[in-house]
Amino acid sequence: MARLFSPRPPPSEDLFYETYYSLSQQYPLLLLLLVIVLVGLLALLAVAWELASDPGFLTTMLCGLGGFSLLLGLASREQRLQRWTRPLSGLVWAALLALGLGFLFTGGVVSAWDQVSFFLFVIFTVYAMLPLGMRDAAAAGLASSLSHLLVLGLYLGPQPDSQPALLPQLAANAVLFLCGNVAGAYHKALMERALRATFREALSSLHSRRRLDTEKKHQEHLLLSILPAYLAREMKAEIMARLQAGQGSRPESTNNFHSLYVKRHQGVSVLYADIVGFTRLASECSPKELVLMLNELFGKFDQIAKEHECMRIKILGDCYYCVSGLPLSLPDHAINCVRMGLDMCRAIRKLRAATGVDINMRVGVHSGSVLCGVIGLQKWQYDVWSHDVTLANHMEASGVPGRVHITGATLALLAGAYAVEDAAMEHGDPYLRELGEPTYLVIDPRAEEEDEKGTAGGLLSSLEGPKMRPSLLMTRYLESWGAAKPFAHLSHVESPVSTSTPLPEKALSSFSPQWSLDRSRTPRGLDDELDTGDAKFFQVIEQLNSQKQWKQSEDFNPLTLYFREKEMEKEYRLSALPAFKYYAACTFLVFFSNFIIQMLVTNRPPALTITYSITFLLFFLLLFVCFSEHLTKCVLKGPKMLHWLPTLSVLVATRPGLRVALGTATILLVFSMAITSLVFLPAASNCPFWASNVSFTASNLSWELPESLPLISVPYSVHCCVLGFLSCSLFLHMSFELKLLLLLLWLAACCSLFLHSHAWLSDCLIARLYLGALDSRPGVLKEPKLMGAISFFIFFFTLLVLARQNEYYCRLDFLWKKKLRQEQEETETMENLTRLLLENVLPAHVAPQFIGQNRRNEDLYHQSYECVCVLFASVPDFKEFYSESSINHEGLECLRLLNEIIADFDELLSKPKFSGVEKIKTICSTYMAATGLNATSGQDAQQDAEQSCSHLGTMVEFAVALGSKLDVINKHSFNNFRLRVGLNHGPVVAGVIGAQKPQYDIWGNTVNVASRMESTGVLGKIQVTEETACALQSLGYTCYSRGIIKVKGKGQLCTYFLNTDLTRTGPPSATLG
């Protein structure tokens, strides 16, 4: 039972289904169960008060009312506390069990048949109405059964022989409880199966929409591979607006601002990680080795991020950073990031031990708030900004290799989960030194274990020989990690796909759960990052909510649940039902249970035996008809005249009239046999225990009526009638109005029998139980006829609620199947949208490598270039301009201005003269672009230098245009931002890495030096290396020497400033000489 009172387990692949099932179907039933119990208790209290029952019984009632009122209050807030649904269900079950035991020992003499109906109610509702898994429900049901049997067995065992035979009654109780457990489990299993089928139909419907048009599928996957779902919806509209206005143009806006897709999130943790020693190692790699190494490394990090509920933001060279707590908040975001950092360090440690390559991982973590979203018009990349992000970056830069460096803010959120030690370092980082805050290093609890076990240091290098290059050793080892290839999900998009194939459950993990019923819950740690999604999917899930049945709908009448379209209603009623045979089989189990019970508690008169024999024959005939198709092989081996028998089950499944007739007949058989024993009891009121001369000392009086059945069969007839109610609920697809009619009929029949025509039997049994006790009177639930009437009404209303719920889901399942067939006809061509999306993910010359018919997904895309010009252009003043205050909405308005700057820069790319400029990425306020990436690989070195590097001039003109754009923005925003630009040219390696968020990037010493040219540059200047200055001179640009400067990682370099005030001239500038 401990499972019932434990919080929900960590999210699994089925979390979306479990959430949908728990909230949509079980949560309303939990509330209705509590309401039914409270109403029943109030009715009991009124009757007990009128009959002046004993104080113990009244006290039990009042305690029950108070307890269940409190539980109803808690349950009404459960939508906000869904993670505690399981403990709340456990409390409801425990309260019901306690109430049943209280009723057992108050109100009169304790008997073996006492409260059996109530415990049967508890058992059945545990399965049918509490949001528990099958295992938990089975455990609770069996525990309820055993508690009743053991308590009564231990209590009544030592009683005198005046009590009726105990063992047969306990055996009958056990049969009742077993039947209740089986019926409840059957109901739960079929409902879960139906719900899952409906759920899968919804997914299949969504799947068919995507697969009908491959272009639409392309744009969905490409957009969601770079953006979270909530941003994808907004930005998709932006793309459509751009298409309508013309390629690459900006849609008209009433406020003259570009759209800003940035939101603020509080309570997140940011992790920055850098691979120490990777730059030197990368310089020794071939292009294929470099791209493979990066893809495997960052693929491994993406797997770790997924395991620890973190979302990767970007890859910057060999720097990896991610956030936990986006797009929805997580209570354990700090622990998630620290765990991820430790696992990253551990992975690199294993890599170093296996290969002997000297690399390490440096990790920094800080917790706080971020602004997250997308800026600019092209090459969208989800990013985060804030002072807290900057601090996390500096934590990494000032950290210790192999350790996770955290701030005090993160430490406070760890709540002692990890031991730490003071960083104890004089921060060389001016940013951290200015803050003056203490920092800490996390102690990895598994580091010592790994050291004790020992690792075969350099195992791979010793096996392969000492002459193998470290980069090749790394590549060999990393291939064993098996990271997924970028755009692997698009490898077969051109081939037609069967729309009948349901969307795999794992596809759910790619959807953000922010559309689910509980927006505070965070189902993370699934197969893919939760920053992708499809709004339509969650609209579908919302439509599956059972509470929708009471609201106006385009499809259903909220009162009758009939389809509004008459043709659809007719089609539904005429639809086939292959599961009917299982309904009949389970109903037979109820019938068989009634038979065993009556055989145990009666003296088995011959007439009763004959009646049951005939009924058994009818049931076997029915089951043979239903299951005849499973006997096809046997029948075909027999005479030809019997070959038609297997078609009987097909007729039952496909003919609704025959099905309704057989179902009704089956239920009526169970009804009639439940009260058969009463037929063999006398109708006249001839009770020998009412005689005034019967002494209370006559303990040897029989429990049997003269020439009739034992009196003890009366309460068990009540219990059999309750099982009759349950048999009606086993036909899940039976229409609600027919169930209502049968339940009303059965309720009227039972109440008429036990409260009117055969009420004297209950009075006679009470007279025998209380023989000689003239002053005592049994409590309400101790008198069989009153107990029976209350049980009948409680089961009637409970089963009506379930019947309504079942009807809704049966119709919903039919509706989704029909919608799936209709949606296969929907299609729309979106070629222009796909093209724009491709250009926002990959360069135009790279995209066909991943989308084309002949895509070889086993190969990573990589390309080497001999002459590429790389530009880094930053607005350093923006760092000082950026602030977080209530006036600027915690930095949001500052980012709005940055968005305008980047968007205006992006607009330059649509000009024909800059068609050769490829935007790579933006890093905060730094813009990175390159030219020469669309040149033929490997041939530039053989071409004339003037021709091969002619694109350098395009990049210079682009840099000048960036400055002009910034001047215009300054004019309109009353700012004085200045651009700082660094240029360098030379060989680079380009490639696409990352399966979770595929990213096109370029690497190499050329890129690193270009970045240093910008970071060491001067505002308003374009700084270049000496080699680039010579190349630009040959193109007619003027450069002048800045002198020797110190460049991090490169030593002393002689750099030049480009004279951008001069246009291209004939002779080269003398200042270069």
Side-chain angles (χ1 to χ4, degrees):
M1 291 299 99
R3 285 169 56 88
L4 292 176
F5 296 95
S6 61
R8 288 187 179 273
S12 65
E13 291 181 0
D14 288 336
L15 182 60
F16 280 100
Y17 169 73
E18 291 170 2
T19 304
Y20 147 70
Y21 174 74
S22 174
L23 298 183
S24 168
Q25 206 264 351
Q26 293 283 51
Y27 174 69
L29 288 180
L30 174 62
L31 293 180
L32 286 170
L33 172 62
L34 292 172
V35 170
I36 289 171
V37 173
L38 282 172
V39 171
L41 286 174
L42 286 171
L44 270 176
L45 185 62
V47 175
W49 195 273
E50 185 68 23
L51 297 178
S53 296
D54 67 72
F57 182 74
L58 292 174
T59 303
T60 303
M61 298 285 295
L62 292 172
C63 290
L65 277 171
F68 282 98
S69 299
L70 180 61
L71 286 172
L72 183 60
L74 288 174
S76 63
R77 301 175 58 85
E78 177 62 10
Q79 269 187 309
R80 301 179 185 176
L81 303 169
Q82 289 153 21
R83 63 190 302 265
W84 297 106
T85 304
R86 186 190 302 269
L88 182 62
S89 303
L91 285 175
V92 172
W93 167 74
L96 286 170
L97 202 60
L99 187 63
L101 293 173
F103 287 156
L104 200 61
F105 292 101
T106 57
V109 176
V110 178
S111 304
W113 47 264
D114 219 351
Q115 306 309 317
V116 171
S117 295
F118 185 85
F119 274 75
L120 195 59
F121 171 77
V122 174
I123 291 166
F124 186 74
T125 53
V126 158
Y127 289 97
M129 302 187 79
L130 290 183
L132 297 172
M134 183 62 82
R135 284 187 180 180
D136 293 338
L142 291 174
S144 303
S145 308
L146 290 173
S147 65
H148 186 277
L149 294 172
L150 290 175
V151 167
L152 281 182
L154 293 173
Y155 183 78
L156 295 178
Q159 296 292 326
D161 295 337
S162 59
Q163 290 285 342
L166 181 61
L167 282 179
Q169 293 182 78
L170 290 180
N173 293 352
V175 172
L176 277 162
F177 295 150
L178 178 62
C179 182
N181 276 283
V182 173
Y186 163 87
H187 185 281
K188 187 178 189 68
L190 280 187
M191 276 308 299
E192 284 196 355
R193 182 179 176 183
L195 287 171
R196 191 176 289 273
T198 305
F199 193 68
R200 288 187 182 277
E201 291 297 339
L203 298 185
S204 298
S205 172
L206 183 64
H207 177 84
S208 66
R209 295 178 206 172
R210 292 175 172 177
R211 308 301 290 188
L212 283 173
D213 190 327
T214 57
E215 293 298 331
K216 186 175 181 179
K217 184 174 185 294
H218 288 175
Q219 59 90 8
E220 289 289 345
H221 279 287
L222 288 168
L223 186 60
L224 297 177
S225 69
I226 54 174
L227 298 174
Y230 74 93
L231 275 180
R233 293 187 305 275
E234 300 177 33
M235 302 194 75
K236 190 173 176 181
E238 169 83 5
I239 302 173
M240 295 303 296
R242 288 170 60 185
L243 280 175
Q244 293 169 2
Q247 178 184 351
S249 65
R250 170 178 164 183
E252 295 296 327
S253 177
T254 54
N255 58 10
N256 294 323
F257 283 104
H258 295 90
S259 300
L260 180 65
Y261 304 101
V262 175
K263 293 183 180 180
R264 182 171 182 80
H265 285 265
Q266 295 182 336
V268 301
S269 290
V270 185
L271 176 146
Y272 271 83
D274 189 69
I275 305 173
V276 180
F278 187 80
T279 303
R280 177 182 54 79
L281 181 66
S283 63
E284 304 172 3
C285 295
S286 67
K288 182 176 181 179
E289 289 173 352
L290 177 62
V291 175
L292 174 62
M293 192 183 305
L294 288 168
N295 186 70
E296 295 288 344
L297 276 172
F298 294 131
K300 179 68 172 178
F301 295 161
D302 285 344
Q303 292 174 9
I304 296 173
K306 178 184 68 175
E307 292 169 4
H308 297 299
E309 303 176 287
C310 297
M311 182 173 70
R312 189 240 292 170
I313 301 300
K314 270 187 184 179
I315 299 170
L316 304 176
D318 59 349
C319 179
Y320 182 104
Y321 69 101
C322 63
V323 176
S324 181
L326 289 179
L328 296 179
S329 60
L330 280 172
D332 299 330
H333 57 86
I335 293 177
N336 291 341
C337 274
V338 170
R339 284 176 179 167
M340 179 175 176
L342 292 173
D343 282 355
M344 294 171 83
C345 292
R346 198 171 295 120
I348 295 298
R349 199 156 54 239
K350 290 179 179 179
L351 173 64
R352 184 174 65 248
T355 64
V357 177
D358 185 21
I359 61 170
N360 215 329
M361 179 62 72
R362 191 172 57 219
V363 180
V365 179
H366 175 58
S367 304
S369 303
V370 298
L371 291 163
C372 60
V374 173
I375 60 173
L377 300 177
Q378 295 197 18
K379 295 297 185 295
W380 292 325
Q381 288 184 354
Y382 191 63
D383 210 345
V384 290
W385 305 266
S386 72
H387 289 317
D388 291 320
V389 175
T390 305
L391 178 54
N393 191 2
H394 285 277
M395 290 296 292
E396 175 272 312
S398 61
V400 177
R403 303 294 297 274
V404 178
H405 191 200
I406 65 171
T407 60
T410 302
L411 177 63
L413 293 173
L414 292 181
Y418 287 94
V420 298
E421 58 186 2
D422 290 337
M425 58 179 74
E426 292 294 333
H427 287 302
D429 191 307
Y431 189 88
L432 294 179
R433 191 166 56 245
E434 183 180 345
L435 287 177
E437 296 286 339
T439 59
Y440 308 89
L441 296 173
V442 178
I443 299 174
D444 188 348
R446 285 181 283 182
E448 293 182 3
E449 296 178 12
E450 291 178 2
D451 292 341
E452 289 175 3
K453 292 178 182 178
T455 53
L459 177 60
L460 190 60
S461 61
S462 62
L463 293 175
E464 299 287 353
K467 295 183 179 180
M468 182 174 286
R469 288 183 293 110
S471 59
L472 188 55
L473 282 172
M474 282 271 291
T475 305
R476 292 274 182 90
Y477 180 79
L478 290 173
E479 282 180 331
S480 66
W481 285 0
K485 305 295 190 299
F487 297 109
H489 57 292
L490 296 180
S491 56
H492 301 292
V493 290
E494 299 296 337
S495 59
V497 179
S498 170
T499 57
S500 63
T501 306
L503 190 68
E505 278 186 79
K506 291 184 180 179
L508 289 176
S509 61
S510 66
F511 298 111
S512 170
Q514 60 187 342
W515 290 82
S516 65
L517 296 175
D518 173 28
R519 288 169 169 77
S520 64
R521 186 172 180 172
T522 314
R524 313 268 313 187
L526 302 176
D527 288 334
D528 297 320
E529 293 174 320
L530 295 183
D531 58 346
T532 59
D534 186 347
K536 290 183 180 179
F537 171 81
F538 295 99
Q539 292 170 5
V540 166
I541 299 305
E542 289 286 349
Q543 293 175 32
L544 299 180
N545 181 5
S546 66
Q547 299 175 45
K548 299 278 184 182
Q549 63 181 290
W550 302 104
K551 300 177 182 179
Q552 286 296 329
S553 166
E554 297 177 358
D555 304 306
F556 300 108
N557 181 312
L559 182 61
T560 63
L561 290 181
Y562 288 0
F563 290 111
R564 295 190 183 277
E565 296 181 17
K566 291 183 179 180
E567 286 298 319
M568 187 180 293
E569 179 67 24
K570 182 180 178 181
E571 187 180 347
Y572 170 73
R573 292 185 178 274
L574 294 176
S575 59
L577 182 58
F580 179 82
K581 54 180 175 286
Y582 302 115
Y583 303 164
C586 198
T587 309
F588 174 74
L589 175 67
V590 175
F591 163 77
F592 189 66
S593 299
N594 278 343
F595 166 73
I596 295 177
I597 291 163
Q598 295 196 22
M599 291 300 105
L600 286 169
V601 299
T602 66
N603 50 13
R604 296 174 288 282
L608 183 63
T609 306
I610 293 171
T611 307
Y612 264 108
S613 299
I614 296 171
T615 315
F616 265 109
L617 184 62
L618 293 174
F619 252 111
F620 285 141
L621 184 61
L622 171 67
L623 292 176
F624 176 78
V625 169
C626 292
F627 286 91
S628 60
E629 65 175 340
H630 297 282
L631 305 174
T632 303
K633 291 183 179 180
C634 298
V635 172
L636 291 178
K637 293 178 181 178
K640 288 186 178 180
M641 60 180 296
L642 298 178
H643 286 186
W644 58 273
L645 286 175
T647 60
L648 289 175
S649 61
V650 179
L651 287 174
V652 172
T654 56
R655 299 289 180 87
L658 180 61
R659 198 166 58 232
V660 169
L662 287 176
T664 306
T666 305
I667 293 172
L668 290 177
L669 270 178
V670 176
F671 284 174
S672 59
M673 296 310 296
I675 56 175
T676 302
S677 61
L678 294 178
V679 175
F680 301 100
L681 288 166
S685 303
N686 185 20
C687 180
F689 309 114
W690 289 342
S692 58
N693 59 350
V694 176
S695 171
F696 68 93
T697 60
S699 59
N700 60 343
L701 284 175
S702 172
W703 285 86
E704 295 187 13
L705 294 172
E707 299 179 357
S708 182
L709 297 179
L711 277 175
I712 205 64
S713 65
V714 175
Y716 283 96
S717 294
V718 172
H719 303 328
C720 288
C721 290
V722 169
L723 287 184
F725 278 98
L726 288 185
S727 69
C728 199
S729 71
L730 299 177
F731 286 82
L732 262 64
H733 278 74
M734 182 176 282
S735 64
F736 176 75
E737 59 269 23
L738 183 55
K739 282 186 184 178
L740 175 60
L741 179 63
L742 289 171
L743 287 171
L744 277 173
L745 204 72
W746 189 231
L747 179 67
C750 292
C751 289
S752 175
L753 278 171
F754 291 99
L755 293 179
H756 180 62
S757 63
H758 288 71
W760 69 272
L761 292 169
S762 173
D763 298 333
C764 188
L765 176 61
I766 293 303
R768 175 65 183 85
L769 275 174
Y770 293 85
L771 196 63
L774 300 177
D775 297 332
S776 63
R777 178 180 176 82
V780 179
L781 295 180
K782 297 288 185 175
E783 195 167 350
K785 61 180 181 182
L786 293 179
M787 172 202 72
I790 291 168
S791 299
F792 299 153
F793 275 96
I794 288 179
F795 271 92
F796 173 78
F797 287 112
T798 302
L799 294 177
L800 270 188
V801 167
L802 289 174
R804 168 85 183 195
Q805 195 85 345
N806 295 348
E807 174 85 356
Y808 176 69
Y809 274 104
C810 291
R811 289 177 174 272
L812 195 63
D813 182 56
F814 174 81
L815 176 65
W816 277 108
K817 285 178 180 175
K818 188 172 180 64
K819 281 187 175 182
L820 178 60
R821 292 193 297 269
Q822 293 173 345
E823 284 164 356
Q824 289 176 353
E825 302 172 1
E826 298 177 6
T827 185
E828 180 185 0
T829 304
M830 307 185 80
E831 294 176 355
N832 291 333
L833 180 56
T834 301
R835 176 181 48 78
L836 279 181
L837 285 173
L838 283 171
E839 292 174 358
N840 268 294
V841 180
L842 304 171
H845 66 281
V846 176
Q849 302 289 329
F850 293 90
I851 307 301
Q853 294 267 3
N854 299 318
R855 162 70 177 142
R856 292 184 301 167
N857 190 56
E858 67 274 10
D859 294 335
L860 284 167
Y861 173 79
H862 58 87
Q863 196 74 49
S864 59
Y865 299 89
E866 292 301 322
C867 183
V868 170
C869 184
V870 182
L871 169 142
F872 282 85
S874 72
V875 186
D877 296 334
F878 182 79
K879 292 181 180 178
E880 297 178 5
F881 171 80
Y882 179 83
S883 63
E884 296 176 2
S885 64
S886 57
I887 298 175
N888 63 16
H889 299 95
E890 302 299 329
L892 187 63
E893 296 308 315
C894 297
L895 276 186
R896 190 179 302 278
L897 181 57
L898 179 62
N899 183 54
E900 290 301 307
I901 295 172
I902 301 300
D904 282 359
F905 289 176
D906 286 344
E907 286 179 342
L908 293 172
L909 299 173
S910 61
K911 294 186 176 182
K913 66 177 180 178
F914 297 134
S915 60
V917 179
E918 192 67 50
K919 177 184 177 183
I920 305 299
K921 67 179 79 169
T922 57
I923 310 160
C924 193
S925 61
T926 300
Y927 195 93
M928 178 182 176
T931 57
L933 292 174
N934 53 0
T936 304
S937 167
Q939 297 181 4
D940 295 277
Q942 301 172 7
Q943 298 174 357
D944 182 77
E946 171 71 23
Q947 183 180 358
S948 64
C949 295
S950 60
H951 55 80
L952 269 67
T954 304
M955 185 58 88
V956 170
E957 293 181 18
F958 182 70
V960 173
L962 292 179
S964 301
K965 278 285 186 182
L966 191 59
D967 289 340
V968 174
I969 292 173
N970 284 334
K971 180 179 178 181
H972 289 95
S973 64
F974 306 103
N975 282 299
N976 190 29
F977 293 131
R978 301 176 72 188
L979 206 62
R980 188 175 68 195
V981 181
L983 285 180
N984 189 32
H985 81 289
V988 301
V989 174
V992 179
I993 60 171
Q996 298 287 337
K997 285 185 182 178
Q999 179 176 318
Y1000 178 82
D1001 210 344
I1002 56 177
W1003 305 273
N1005 185 62
T1006 301
V1007 179
N1008 297 335
V1009 172
S1011 174
R1012 300 304 181 197
M1013 289 299 97
E1014 179 276 318
S1015 60
T1016 60
V1018 176
L1019 290 175
K1021 301 290 185 181
I1022 300 176
Q1023 183 172 227
V1024 299
T1025 59
E1026 186 172 4
E1027 294 79 5
T1028 303
C1030 293
L1032 289 173
Q1033 172 194 338
S1034 66
L1035 297 176
Y1037 290 94
T1038 304
C1039 299
Y1040 58 93
S1041 174
R1042 179 186 183 184
I1044 303 294
I1045 62 170
K1046 183 179 180 181
V1047 177
K1048 180 181 177 182
K1050 304 299 174 185
Q1052 305 291 327
L1053 289 183
C1054 180
T1055 64
Y1056 290 79
F1057 287 131
L1058 183 65
N1059 189 349
T1060 55
D1061 295 329
L1062 301 177
T1063 57
R1064 294 175 65 167
T1065 60
S1069 171
T1071 56
L1072 268 174

